[in-house]
């Protein structure tokens, strides 16, 4: 593994320039079972050394604990990192296990102030609407977000899990730098409408879960059997029961290509996502999540792997054969509203 830094891409037409692969930080304090804080801190440092500059979190990850955990790293490297965080998943005081989607302007202001305090920074580089509340006009939501830009609390705006129509409406209010949505060899629904709209509007795509929440790496084959009780992947239909058994069989072409490249299945799955920049002619900056320095090194190497046309053709049929939805409730995702 060399320490040569990766190439960069711009988020939106006037957004920040970042490494072509970012880092999803959620798992360092939330959702994927026990984590080691020391190892997670080492992962952050190693990522930055390798040219990763976009670091992604959200106020809902561990009820703000993820933002607090990242704060010392961000402060120590403020001029080198691009901080992305999100609002919209409100946690009711009487039930910390629930998430209520809120996009109303008063809540947005409350949320950004809380994130600024936890992160201990003066400005957030990229502020996302995490999920869409269809009861609030998106023009109203983005209008409130735009006020934060004018006030200097936020530099650039992003949206997560929006439809093409919602993206177009939002762009009419204020420039959107990035759309974050699930995109991987197992999840390609955004290619029908969202990706073309983003390309037309000059908006970057930031794929989350580009490794299919770890399933594409082969690190687990059945969430019920292989993962701890507090791992939220046990709630995802495609990772349990008969769905999981059917989906494991779909990994064989990935393994075959990995062997040809002397690479891991994870690197091939990530290389496919990275290559969508050329396939769809727009910036694509995936944010694979990990808590291990060695995994960051493995993931970053994927930015240098070029898949041939024959290899892309071998991978093409996988998504259409996946059993089970991305979420138990797909109304949380753009595909559930298209």
């Amino acid at each position: 593994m060399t320490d040569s830094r990766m190439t960069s891409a711009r988020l939106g037409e006037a957004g920040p320039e970042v490494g072509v692969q970012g880092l999803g930080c959620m798992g360092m304090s939330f959702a994927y079972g026990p984590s080691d804080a020391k190892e997670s801190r080492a992962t952050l440092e190693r990522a930055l050394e390798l040219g990763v500059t976009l670091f992604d979190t959200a106020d809902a990850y561990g009820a703000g604990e993820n933002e607090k955990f990242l704060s010392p790293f961000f402060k120590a490297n403020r001029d080198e990192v691009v901080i992305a965080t999100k609002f919209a998943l409100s946690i009711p005081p009487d039930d910390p296990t629930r998430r209520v989607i809120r996009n109303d302007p008063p809540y947005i202001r409350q949320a950004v102030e809380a994130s600024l305090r936890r992160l201990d920074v003066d400005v957030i580089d990229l502020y996302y609407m995490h999920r869409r509340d269809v009861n609030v006009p998106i023009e109203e939501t983005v209008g409130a977000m735009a006020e934060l830009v004018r006030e200097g609390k936020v530099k650039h705006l992003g949206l997560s899990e929006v439809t093409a129509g919602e993206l177009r409406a939002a762009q009419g209010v204020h420039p959107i730098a990035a759309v974050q949505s699930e995109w991987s060899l197992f999840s390609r629904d955004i290619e029908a409408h969202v990706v073309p709209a983003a390309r037309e509007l000059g908006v970057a795509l930031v794929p989350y879960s580009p490794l299919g929440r770890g399933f594409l790496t082969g690190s687990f084959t059945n969430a019920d059997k292989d993962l701890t009780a507090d791992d939220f992947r046990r709630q995802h239909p495609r990772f349990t029961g008969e769905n999981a058994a059917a989906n494991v069989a779909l990994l064989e072409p990935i393994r075959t290509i990995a062997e040809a490249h002397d690479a891991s299945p994870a690197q091939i799955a990530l290389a496919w996502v990275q290559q969508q920049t050329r396939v769809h002619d727009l910036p694509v900056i995936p944010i694979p999540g990990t808590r291990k320095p060695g995994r960051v090194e493995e993931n970053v190497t994927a930015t240098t792997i070029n898949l041939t046309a024959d290899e892309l053709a071998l991978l093409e049929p996988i998504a259409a054969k996946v059993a089970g939805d991305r979420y138990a409730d797909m109304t949380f995702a753009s595909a559930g509203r298209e």
Side-chain angles (χ1 to χ4, degrees):
M1 178 72 199
T2 66
D3 280 0
S4 57
R5 292 170 70 87
M6 72 177 77
T7 57
S8 61
R10 189 169 297 282
L11 294 175
E13 294 183 345
E17 194 164 301
V18 297
V20 293
Q21 186 181 114
L23 180 63
C25 302
M26 178 180 75
M28 293 179 179
S29 56
F30 176 71
Y32 291 131
S35 62
D36 183 299
K38 183 177 180 180
E39 189 170 46
S40 292
R41 285 192 290 269
T43 300
L44 294 167
E45 297 289 351
R46 186 62 178 137
L48 187 59
E49 289 173 356
L50 295 170
V52 174
T53 55
L54 177 63
F55 293 84
D56 186 90
T57 181
D59 61 0
Y61 300 162
E65 290 303 313
N66 199 248
E67 290 179 325
K68 291 179 183 177
F69 173 78
L70 294 169
S71 176
F73 170 74
F74 289 158
K75 289 186 68 178
N77 301 282
R78 190 64 187 98
D79 293 339
E80 297 180 73
V81 301
V82 173
I83 301 171
T85 192
K86 315 177 193 74
F87 73 89
L89 298 180
S90 174
I91 303 172
D94 59 340
D95 187 356
T97 64
R98 288 183 61 218
R99 298 291 186 272
V100 177
I101 301 177
R102 291 188 61 181
N103 289 176
D104 56 285
Y107 178 75
I108 294 171
R109 185 160 295 277
Q110 172 188 330
V112 74
E113 296 294 350
S115 285
L116 287 167
R117 285 194 301 271
R118 286 188 293 263
L119 292 165
D120 195 15
V121 295
D122 295 326
V123 61
I124 294 165
D125 300 312
L126 178 60
Y127 199 44
Y128 285 104
M129 180 190 76
H130 203 162
R131 289 294 185 271
R132 172 88 171 98
D133 179 358
V134 296
N135 297 309
V136 179
I138 196 162
E139 294 87 350
E140 184 177 331
T141 298
V142 177
M145 295 169 72
E147 289 181 11
L148 303 180
V149 176
R150 289 190 288 271
E151 293 171 8
K153 299 179 187 297
V154 169
K155 290 184 180 179
H156 305 283
L157 304 184
L159 304 171
S160 181
E161 288 289 356
V162 292
T163 66
E166 290 164 349
L167 174 57
R168 292 181 193 281
Q171 184 80 353
V173 177
H174 188 278
I176 302 299
V179 166
Q180 184 175 138
S181 195
E182 188 166 355
W183 196 6
S184 73
L185 283 167
F186 265 30
S187 301
R188 298 181 58 181
D189 48 66
I190 66 168
E191 292 176 30
H193 304 291
V194 178
V195 171
R199 180 178 60 243
E200 175 192 330
L201 298 171
V203 177
L205 251 295
V206 178
Y208 72 82
S209 298
L211 295 173
R213 304 187 187 278
F215 195 85
L216 290 166
T217 72
S219 61
F220 73 100
T221 58
N222 186 300
D224 288 334
K225 297 177 181 178
D226 301 336
L227 304 179
T228 57
D230 57 349
D231 194 306
F232 89 141
R233 288 172 290 186
R234 292 164 64 103
Q235 304 169 20
H236 291 246
R238 60 180 49 168
F239 303 141
T240 58
E242 294 181 358
N243 287 344
N247 292 336
V248 165
L250 300 177
L251 304 181
E252 192 55 37
I254 304 173
R255 296 193 188 99
T256 299
I257 296 170
E259 290 177 6
H261 283 265
D262 192 22
S264 68
Q267 288 172 320
I268 297 307
L270 264 179
W272 181 88
V273 178
Q274 301 280 175
Q275 211 150 321
Q276 300 311 299
T277 289
R278 297 197 294 274
V279 173
H280 294 281
D281 190 28
L282 83 169
V284 177
I285 300 94
I287 49 169
T290 186
R291 304 177 289 197
K292 299 180 183 297
R295 292 298 185 196
V296 166
E297 295 172 358
E298 180 182 347
N299 291 346
V300 168
T301 299
T303 65
T304 67
I305 296 174
N306 289 310
L307 303 176
T308 67
D310 288 344
E311 289 167 340
L312 291 173
L314 192 62
L315 298 171
E316 183 65 24
I318 291 176
K321 299 177 182 179
V322 173
D325 283 331
R326 297 200 270 132
Y327 294 101
D329 180 0
M330 282 295 290
T331 61
F332 282 81
S334 59
R337 299 190 305 278
E338 284 282 13

